[in-house]
Amino acid sequence: MTWAPERRTPLQVLRALESGPRGLLESEADARLARDGENVLPTRRTPSWPLRLVRSLRDPFTAVLASLAVVSALVAAWGTAAVIAVLVAVSCVLRAAGEYRADRSAAGLRELVATTATVVRRSGPDADPAPREIPVDQVVVGDVVRLGPGDLVPADLRLLRATRLTMHQAALTGESAPVRKHPADEPSPAGTSFDRPELCFQGSSVASGSGTGVVVATGADTRFAAAYGGDGAVRGSVRGSVRGEAARSKVRGGDRRTTAFDRSVYGISWILIRFMLLTPPLVLMANAALRGRGLETLPFAVAVAVGLTPEMLPVIVTTALARGAATLARTHEVIVKRLPALHDLGAVDVVCVDKTGTLTQDRPVLDCALDASGAEDPEVLRWAAANSLWTLQLAEVPATDALDEALLDAAEQRLPGGLDALEHDPVAALPFDPVRRLSTAVVRTPDRLGSHTLIVKGAVEDVLDRCALGAGERSRITALAAARADDGLRVLAVALGERPARTRAYTTADERGLTFVGLVGLRDATAETAAAALTALARSGVEVKVLTGDHPGTAARACRELGLAPGDVVTADVFDGLPDAALAELAARTTVFARCTPEQKARIVRVLRERGHVTGFLGDGVNDLPALRASDVGICPRDAVDVAREAADVVLAAKDLTSLDHAIMAGRRAGGTIAGYLRITLSSNFGNVIAMLTAGLLLPFLPMLPAQVLVQNLCFDAAQLAFAYDRQDPAALRRPLRLRPREVLRFVTGFGLLNAAADLATFAVLAWAVRAGSDASGQASFHTGWFTENLLTQALVMLLLRAGRGVRGPVPVAACALAGAGVLLPLTPVGAALGMAPLPGVYYPLVGVVLGLYAGGLWWCGRGHR
């Protein structure tokens, strides 16, 4: 498409595209799809394997390792450089393979919730045009597309018709306010194409109203694609607007860049990287000052830095999250669109939910039918249902009202004879309108020949205004209706009027002098599995807060029906003027917020996050979009509007809301795997590094050769892959899993020092058993003994500090294999090539004593950390 304002009318555009208001033929659409390709952005295309491997180098740990390999090669430490290169290659291959599997799974999952578009097409030249839902990637140039509230714009459109249409264009322009759109015979002389009211762009969404447009660009030709990957001039201007939107988003609480995953895994990673970068200079300076060694200790310093590195962290994280997401999709129909969101789900301790469409079905049901005294009376229901039936039949309303449907359903179920009891001879109907707030059906009643009965139903105040009532009776009925409304019911009044039969048309002037019959109260039907879902969340230690725009009584009643104590309901007028600190205090003790605007929902979510909570938000409508973006994890049901599904991180494809609890449990399992790996790996690595630095300063020779350090690290890394497949102890999943960097570092420090104590005790054993000295054989024995003990202690750490249960599973097998490598590798030709030597028999029982004491210390100290 040419983006300069063209002087073309909509009809000229349709002719240029060889289309028309009746839409394309199916055969023509198929031909255009084959010619132009699918309507997808270039960035969505699957990257090649070489590109995946190159991207793996961007991981900070991998990048640091590669840098250390280069440093080793520059000083001709070829063995060290070779082993580090192997570590880098293994890490890159495993991560690329994991991402490939994750992308393949995610692509399959996206098909389950693929966004669709409503297009008008014809099956043949003489066939009538018919709207149909198709996947967005099947939209072609020339398609006529219909838009409604909440729809995502599937491609760039030129509007043909519109009714009060407004669009959200923040993704393109950075402006949060909706923009009015309307068709125009002549393009407007706007400064940029985004300002042109006759154009709707891919990447925007419908805020309100409806419209119909013809597709003028798809895929890489859209303005969205040009902005984010096209010509530099456009890209620069749009990047500026996106940066502005990011700043505004942060102010509004919609910044999603700092999630629980970022604060935990990435926070720990960067702390470790700082330690890694500081280690080589410290080792070099200490050896130069105390031992007079220079650059000859650089390979050892590099090996020590590598020893601190959890090289398998990217692999473990990707594998654990991808396996959890695939299992959720397969067993519980939960689609995780953003893999780190699964980790965030495991850390969620507060879930905020919108009431309508999530806890309730957005479908009213009859609760009561009361006469003027407040007693149940089926006659009130019969007259109310008769009004609904004949109003719908005679007034030809464009859409059936949900309240009328609820009354007819109740009459079918509760009245003797069902809807047959509503048999009357209809005469006329005056449909509901928002000014007088009532509807009237006129019927001929069989036992009243020569007269017509007016059945009036509507808002209580407006019906009572038309009834012949005394002041006291009116006040009593008003109080009765108000009490029911405060109890969460939608209350309607019913009245009758008798008129002589006539042929003249009835008007609203006839709605006078009525006789009050009674009240009908309707409530929202709760979602079938909502009560079980709330119970499961409470059992899992997750607090639920309801944020709704509904009446406080309606929200409180829905909560009580679902077993959630509403407490004191807070309305928006109470908290809107509060500062964030005061609102955070209020939100901490409040369960239900009513009369909330979308921005107020997002603000509540934001202050909860700032208070230290990890928040999830479950919503399904356009009004939930700001809160979905403000939360750590945005969640929506599968039947949510398109824009909500696109913004959400997690989609509940099944109707069962209890799948949310299953998703949280899967997140805790994945988070437990990552946390267990980090704690075990870092505590072992930290202890070894302390021991290496201490021995390097105390001994007249290096405590272990650089190649031996790296081979030991490689063996430990290989064994650690088992953590991605370990099963977690159910007891560890009962509460939200928060991986706090400070807690992890305290754990690592404590157990690292315990590990270092075991290593130093091994030094004493080696000094006595093998008489380690300055001769080559004694040094080789020392290296071998410590190599063996290191792998044995690492195997013990894997067994005793793991979060899984029992002696079965991949981790115990990997630990046994690691211990076997520690004992047997020095006896093989590989051990000899690494400079190792056989150990005397007395070493093994002595080191067994050290390991027994170490295992006892691990068990004792680890009891409080499981």
Side-chain angles (χ1 to χ4, degrees):
M1 176 179 179
T2 302
W3 287 103
E6 298 176 359
R7 311 301 293 180
R8 288 184 178 182
T9 66
L11 182 59
Q12 290 172 330
V13 171
L14 288 170
R15 288 175 178 172
L17 298 174
E18 298 181 1
S19 182
R22 302 175 70 234
L24 295 173
L25 294 173
E26 290 286 359
S27 56
E28 175 61 20
D30 292 340
R32 294 188 182 195
L33 183 64
R35 181 192 67 196
D36 300 333
E38 293 185 340
N39 177 35
V40 296
L41 295 175
T43 55
R44 287 286 300 274
R45 304 189 189 281
T46 304
S48 63
W49 260 96
L51 182 58
R52 290 183 188 275
L53 291 173
V54 172
R55 286 180 178 176
S56 299
L57 292 172
R58 295 184 303 182
D59 176 77
F61 287 123
T62 307
V64 170
L65 282 178
S67 301
L68 294 175
V70 172
V71 171
S72 300
L74 290 176
V75 296
W78 303 112
T80 302
V83 177
I84 296 177
V86 170
L87 288 173
V88 171
V90 170
S91 178
C92 288
V93 170
L94 290 175
R95 183 171 188 182
E99 289 182 349
Y100 171 75
R101 289 192 297 269
D103 287 348
R104 187 172 59 181
S105 299
L109 299 178
R110 279 194 295 266
E111 296 299 324
L112 298 177
V113 289
T115 303
T116 59
T118 302
V119 300
V120 177
R121 287 184 181 174
R122 293 172 291 148
S123 58
D126 299 326
D128 292 330
R132 53 172 298 192
E133 294 283 329
I134 64 170
V136 166
D137 59 11
Q138 304 298 302
V139 172
V140 299
V141 172
D143 262 328
V144 174
V145 176
R146 293 182 178 177
L147 300 173
D151 286 347
L152 290 172
V153 178
D156 290 346
L157 310 177
R158 173 75 180 266
L159 284 175
L160 304 176
R161 293 183 296 278
T163 303
R164 295 184 296 276
L165 181 64
T166 61
M167 307 292 297
H168 285 299
Q169 295 188 155
L172 293 166
T173 66
E175 297 299 327
S176 59
V179 178
R180 184 72 180 270
K181 295 288 184 178
H182 57 80
D185 287 338
E186 294 288 338
S188 59
T192 67
S193 56
F194 295 126
D195 298 327
R196 292 171 59 177
E198 73 276 10
L199 296 178
C200 297
F201 303 96
Q202 184 182 44
S204 57
S205 60
V206 180
S208 63
S210 60
T212 301
V214 59
V215 175
V216 296
T218 61
D221 297 327
T222 62
R223 183 68 168 171
F224 187 82
Y228 289 98
D231 63 88
V234 173
R235 185 163 60 248
S237 63
V238 174
R239 280 180 178 170
S241 65
V242 171
R243 282 195 294 269
E245 167 63 12
R248 282 182 289 273
S249 176
K250 191 169 185 179
V251 172
R252 295 193 309 267
D255 186 9
R256 295 290 303 279
R257 289 174 294 174
T258 305
T259 64
F261 184 83
D262 303 326
R263 294 191 295 270
S264 55
V265 176
Y266 290 161
I268 294 171
S269 299
W270 284 109
I271 291 173
L272 291 174
I273 288 172
R274 294 187 187 102
F275 274 116
M276 290 168 55
L277 296 176
L278 286 173
T279 298
L282 289 175
V283 173
L284 289 174
M285 288 187 293
N287 276 273
L290 298 178
R291 289 292 176 184
R293 301 171 186 150
L295 286 178
E296 66 270 15
T297 60
L298 180 59
F300 176 72
V302 170
V304 172
V306 173
L308 267 176
T309 311
E311 297 92 349
M312 294 296 106
L313 179 60
V315 179
I316 297 293
V317 169
T318 302
T319 304
L321 296 180
R323 289 184 71 246
T327 301
L328 275 177
R330 184 173 61 252
T331 59
H332 300 294
E333 296 187 70
V334 175
I335 293 90
V336 180
K337 295 170 56 183
R338 182 178 63 88
L339 280 184
L342 185 59
H343 168 275
D344 296 340
L345 271 175
V348 162
D349 57 357
V350 174
V351 170
C352 301
V353 300
D354 179 41
K355 179 186 72 69
T356 306
T358 52
L359 298 183
T360 62
Q361 301 181 36
D362 198 17
R363 178 177 64 83
V365 295
L366 182 72
D367 184 82
C368 60
L370 309 176
D371 62 17
S373 65
E376 284 284 344
D377 186 354
E379 279 298 297
V380 177
L381 171 60
R382 187 172 73 85
W383 287 116
N387 171 281
S388 297
L389 176 65
W390 299 119
T391 301
L392 294 175
Q393 292 280 348
L394 298 180
E396 298 182 355
V397 293
T400 304
D401 185 84
L403 298 177
D404 288 329
E405 287 187 341
L407 290 171
L408 293 175
D409 289 342
E412 180 67 27
Q413 297 169 9
R414 300 188 185 187
L415 294 180
L419 292 178
D420 292 339
L422 306 182
E423 284 294 334
H424 297 87
D425 188 8
V427 176
L430 301 175
F432 176 89
D433 71 63
V435 176
R436 73 187 215 285
R437 299 198 303 168
L438 49 83
S439 63
T440 299
V442 183
V443 299
R444 186 177 296 109
T445 307
D447 58 354
R448 292 185 178 88
L449 297 177
S451 68
H452 290 164
T453 301
L454 276 69
I455 312 171
V456 180
K457 170 174 63 65
V460 175
E461 297 84 354
D462 295 272
V463 172
L464 293 181
D465 286 343
R466 291 162 173 79
C467 292
L469 293 171
E473 182 72 1
R474 179 188 174 95
S475 297
R476 189 180 60 78
I477 294 173
T478 301
L480 176 64
R484 294 292 175 171
D486 290 339
D487 196 32
L489 298 182
R490 173 76 179 273
V491 183
L492 302 176
V494 182
L496 300 177
E498 295 293 328
R499 302 288 185 269
R502 71 187 191 203
T503 58
R504 179 170 51 87
Y506 284 89
T507 67
T508 58
D510 295 303
E511 299 170 336
R512 293 286 185 274
L514 304 176
T515 301
F516 180 78
V517 174
L519 303 171
V520 289
L522 301 104
R523 58 180 171 82
D524 287 340
T526 57
E528 294 179 1
T529 59
L534 293 177
T535 301
L537 290 172
R539 191 171 54 245
S540 301
V542 178
E543 188 177 0
V544 176
K545 297 186 182 296
V546 179
L547 314 181
T548 179
D550 276 352
H551 186 280
T554 303
R557 183 186 184 92
C559 290
R560 287 193 297 269
E561 290 180 357
L562 294 171
L564 179 66
D568 294 329
V569 179
V570 176
T571 55
D573 57 346
V574 173
F575 70 81
D576 193 37
L578 294 177
D580 285 354
L583 179 58
E585 292 289 340
L586 180 64
R589 61 178 185 269
T590 302
T591 300
V592 181
F593 290 88
R595 299 298 192 192
C596 296
T597 65
E599 291 73 20
Q600 289 166 338
K601 292 181 183 180
R603 185 180 174 220
I604 293 170
V605 172
R606 176 174 60 81
V607 298
L608 286 169
R609 286 184 65 197
E610 292 174 351
R611 191 178 174 86
H613 294 286
V614 179
T615 60
F617 184 86
L618 174 61
D620 69 337
V622 177
N623 61 326
D624 297 320
L625 197 58
L628 285 169
R629 290 174 173 164
S631 61
D632 287 288
V633 188
I635 310 161
C636 75
R638 184 177 184 175
D639 55 359
V641 297
D642 289 350
V643 69
R645 287 206 310 269
E646 192 69 19
D649 303 305
V650 177
V651 179
L652 308 179
K655 294 289 186 181
D656 188 356
L657 278 181
T658 56
S659 58
L660 177 57
D661 182 62
H662 294 301
I664 289 175
M665 290 297 105
R668 291 181 186 177
R669 282 189 286 271
T673 295
I674 297 169
Y677 165 79
L678 281 171
R679 288 170 175 164
I680 291 172
T681 301
L682 296 181
S683 60
S684 179
N685 289 357
F686 184 61
N688 287 340
V689 167
I690 292 175
M692 286 182 187
L693 294 176
T694 304
L697 297 178
L698 296 178
L699 297 175
F701 56 89
L702 292 178
M704 194 181 297
L705 297 179
Q708 295 168 350
V709 175
L710 295 173
V711 169
Q712 168 193 281
N713 205 43
L714 184 60
C715 293
F716 193 26
D717 288 341
Q720 290 164 358
L721 291 174
F723 284 117
Y725 302 91
D726 196 21
R727 298 185 64 182
Q728 301 294 308
D729 186 344
L733 306 178
R734 294 174 183 167
R735 287 290 178 266
L737 191 150
R738 297 290 298 274
L739 189 61
R740 295 180 174 89
R742 291 185 179 179
E743 292 182 0
V744 172
L745 292 178
R746 282 198 297 267
F747 182 98
V748 168
T749 302
F751 284 94
L753 293 175
L754 183 62
N755 183 280
D759 287 343
L760 295 175
T762 303
F763 293 168
V765 169
L766 289 169
W768 182 83
V770 302
R771 303 293 191 270
S774 58
D775 62 295
S777 61
Q779 292 178 20
S781 297
F782 189 96
H783 297 158
T784 306
W786 194 22
F787 179 91
T788 298
E789 183 267 349
N790 265 338
L791 291 187
L792 291 174
T793 55
Q794 288 169 341
L796 283 175
V797 169
M798 290 179 63
L799 285 174
L800 297 178
L801 295 185
R802 63 187 283 252
R805 299 185 63 185
V807 296
R808 296 183 179 180
V811 172
V813 172
C816 291
L818 183 63
V823 173
L824 299 177
L825 187 61
L827 306 178
T828 65
V830 175
L834 292 172
M836 297 184 191
L839 293 167
V842 70
Y843 165 80
Y844 295 101
L846 291 175
V847 82
V849 173
V850 173
L851 292 174
L853 294 173
Y854 177 59
L858 283 176
W859 177 81
W860 178 264
C861 297
R863 291 184 305 169
H865 292 277
R866 292 189 178 87

